[in-house]
Amino acid sequence: MRVLLLASPVVQPDFDRIARIPDLGLVSLAAAIDDLCDVHVADLHGIKDPDEFVRRHANRYDLIGLTAMSFQYARALELARIAKDAGAEVVIGGYHPTLFYREIGSSSDLMLIDYIVRGEGERTFRELVQALIRGSQLDDVPGLSYRFGSEMKHNPPRALLNPEEIEMPNRDARLIRDGFYAFDVPVDSVETSRGCTQGCKFCSINSMYGRSFRKFEIKRVIEDIQDAEEHGAGSIFFPDDNITLDVKRLEAICDAIIDAGLTHLRYKTQASASGIASSERLVKKMGEAGFDGVFLGVESASKRNLQFFGKGRMSDHAERAVRYLHDNDIIVSTGLIGGNPDDTAEDMWANFHLARQLKVDFPIFYINTPYPKTPMREELERMGLITNNDFRFYDGLHANVRTKHLSAEEVQYITWEMNARYYNWEWFKYNKVKRLYPRWFAREALRLAPIYAKRKLELLLRIKSRRDMFREDLARGELCKGVA
């Protein structure tokens, strides 16, 4: 049996210029079945023509797997059609299929999908492949939905795996190995834990794993880092759902990195502001280990909005967290969410001013998004504030909601303006990116300078308005560019 696993080609263009990271989940799935069959992984966001790639390769495989978040799902169906036309069976997994499996199973999508692996995939996918090889029944595979005639049957869910059951990723299974980077350094991912015990109302993680937090042995984490480096990585991204839930453990990981002589690599992760702010010692150790980038979930300048998110006092910790990180030469990115039910334009701009006050290197001005099956979506539906149910635009950067005071277009435009105005001369003076990644910074400056100069001239000559430029960027999906 031959299996091909495909990562979605759909990315956000602005983020893609900063980091393009190969899919970790699929090489973990490959490791779970590589003793049973021939398996390959293709990160389609690393190539120019994904459709042509799939057409060229699909007829060599018996089973083709796709993974998708909500904004990637429609594109996954297009690739599923190519796979089916080539004679392969199709299995799909990831957040959206896991949360929407019943809706998928009762829709016309059923004709393109043979199997859905729900939730954590390694064990379920292995048992699916075993059953297909043996020709045995599928009704005793927990976590699996499968097509049966004109309908889809849904087996009971699977219990979460013990970390010891999860094989090390099989990076040798990758067919596409170039073109992945963080700034200008080749990058790969290594996970140290799975799950989160917090209850943020906008998040899908609890629906995937429940409120759980499972940790891999630190020895395995170090071996995984070494394997990633052997496969060409000079930078490591830790995609853990909440790596700072156990601050002492993250400090122990830093110690292990130092002891293993791996401080020459560049490490990046996402973390809670409260976790980082809780320990100056931790952040100092992160700097010593080689961390040079952290994404902080600050979420909002408004305590009212933080309460609405189920986030507590996140912004109270933000100033200390950013100071600790900057004191240790670590680039800070923050997520700040606007477009919340009671937001006025002034409330949205408060996020901008908070980012400027904190001297954040890369603020990401997200827009509140009613992700499927989340408590947030239920509340926004009750309020009548959801304006769009086309999941292709559920990427956190498109406005799919209005507020009680602003239309969806006004929410989108204010967010665009915040991005447009943030990256000015003041930002140029304080950001750490230009020093830590001078070649990347110079290259981006040379790429953007003529674009901004042309736009400024068009504004001066009244050839175009800012609204015209906003609509151009919206049509291209480049929502973080604008014009200063």
Side-chain angles (χ1 to χ4, degrees), residues 75-354:
R75 189 71 173 89
L77 289 180
E78 295 174 3
L79 297 171
R81 186 177 299 280
I82 297 173
K84 295 294 285 184
D85 288 345
E89 288 194 298
V90 171
V91 56
I92 192 165
Y95 279 98
H96 188 81
T98 292
L99 300 179
F100 242 56
Y101 71 96
R102 292 195 182 277
E103 289 83 350
I104 292 170
S106 60
S107 73
S108 59
D109 300 351
L110 179 64
M111 304 313 297
L112 297 174
I113 298 168
D114 299 288
Y115 314 101
I116 300 174
V117 170
R118 309 190 316 264
E120 195 168 37
E122 285 88 353
R123 182 58 56 184
T124 300
F125 191 49
R126 179 178 177 83
E127 291 180 13
L128 169 63
V129 171
Q130 283 177 323
L132 293 177
I133 291 171
R134 296 169 182 167
S136 56
Q137 296 295 316
L138 298 172
D139 54 4
D140 60 349
V141 180
L144 180 70
S145 299
Y146 62 98
R147 188 145 60 95
F148 188 80
S150 61
E151 62 180 27
M152 184 163 273
K153 290 192 172 183
H154 307 292
N155 293 344
R158 179 180 294 276
L160 294 177
L161 301 174
N162 293 321
E164 296 77 16
E165 297 179 75
I166 302 170
E167 300 286 341
M168 287 271 289
N170 180 356
R171 296 181 173 90
D172 290 327
R174 287 175 174 150
L175 297 177
I176 302 166
R177 303 188 181 189
D178 297 324
F180 301 97
Y181 48 78
F183 296 104
D184 53 6
V185 177
V187 70
D188 207 337
S189 292
V190 170
E191 61 181 341
T192 86
S193 64
R194 289 184 181 179
C196 179
T197 57
Q198 295 181 352
C200 304
K201 292 190 291 186
F202 54 75
C203 185
S204 302
I205 290 171
N206 291 161
S207 298
M208 195 78 165
Y209 297 134
R211 286 201 184 188
S212 66
F213 184 59
R214 290 163 297 145
K215 312 166 193 177
F216 291 100
E217 290 186 6
I218 293 177
K219 179 183 177 183
R220 174 205 153 111
V221 173
I222 296 302
E223 290 173 354
D224 206 0
I225 292 171
Q226 291 168 331
D227 184 67
E229 183 182 19
E230 289 171 6
H231 284 82
S235 184
I236 301 294
F237 175 63
F238 296 114
D240 297 37
D241 302 306
N242 194 339
I243 201 169
T244 47
L245 270 180
D246 188 337
V247 168
K248 291 183 179 179
R249 178 173 178 273
L250 180 53
E251 186 175 332
I253 289 172
C254 292
D255 284 330
I257 288 171
I258 294 167
D259 292 343
L262 294 169
T263 59
H264 57 285
L265 300 175
R266 301 188 180 196
Y267 301 94
K268 297 166 180 64
T269 194
Q270 51 195 13
S272 70
S274 56
I276 292 294
S278 71
S279 175
E280 186 174 11
R281 172 178 163 173
L282 165 67
V283 184
K284 185 174 184 297
K285 193 62 65 73
M286 290 171 68
E288 292 171 358
F291 279 81
D292 70 356
V294 170
F295 172 85
L296 288 178
V298 174
E299 318 308 5
S300 180
S302 163
K303 288 179 170 54
R304 179 196 67 229
N305 285 336
L306 289 173
Q307 185 176 10
F308 176 66
F309 298 150
K311 295 292 286 191
R313 300 167 51 208
M314 192 66 68
S315 64
D316 292 350
H317 306 288
E319 184 175 356
R320 187 162 69 251
V322 173
R323 185 174 73 252
Y324 288 169
L325 292 167
H326 276 167
D327 286 349
N328 288 279
D329 287 331
I330 296 174
I331 295 167
V332 178
S333 179
T334 56
L336 293 154
I337 305 172
N340 306 300
D342 291 301
D343 276 0
T344 63
E346 183 180 358
D347 291 321
M348 292 190 64
W349 279 100
N351 283 341
F352 175 94
H353 297 307
L354 176 61

Side-chain angles (χ1 to χ4, degrees), residues 331-401:
I331 295 167
V332 178
S333 179
T334 56
L336 293 154
I337 305 172
N340 306 300
D342 291 301
D343 276 0
T344 63
E346 183 180 358
D347 291 321
M348 292 190 64
W349 279 100
N351 283 341
F352 175 94
H353 297 307
L354 176 61
R356 181 69 76 201
Q357 173 192 330
L358 297 175
K359 296 186 176 180
V360 172
D361 301 289
F362 281 119
I364 302 174
F365 298 112
Y366 286 118
I367 297 172
N368 191 5
T369 302
Y371 293 112
K373 307 295 183 177
T374 59
M376 181 72 73
R377 183 177 181 86
E378 294 176 8
E379 290 192 37
L380 293 171
E381 281 180 330
R382 285 197 298 269
M383 295 178 188
L385 298 178
I386 298 175
T387 60
N388 178 43
N389 287 306
D390 186 340
F391 293 149
R392 292 177 301 165
F393 299 98
Y394 277 43
D395 58 1
L397 299 177
H398 285 86
N400 300 286
V401 298

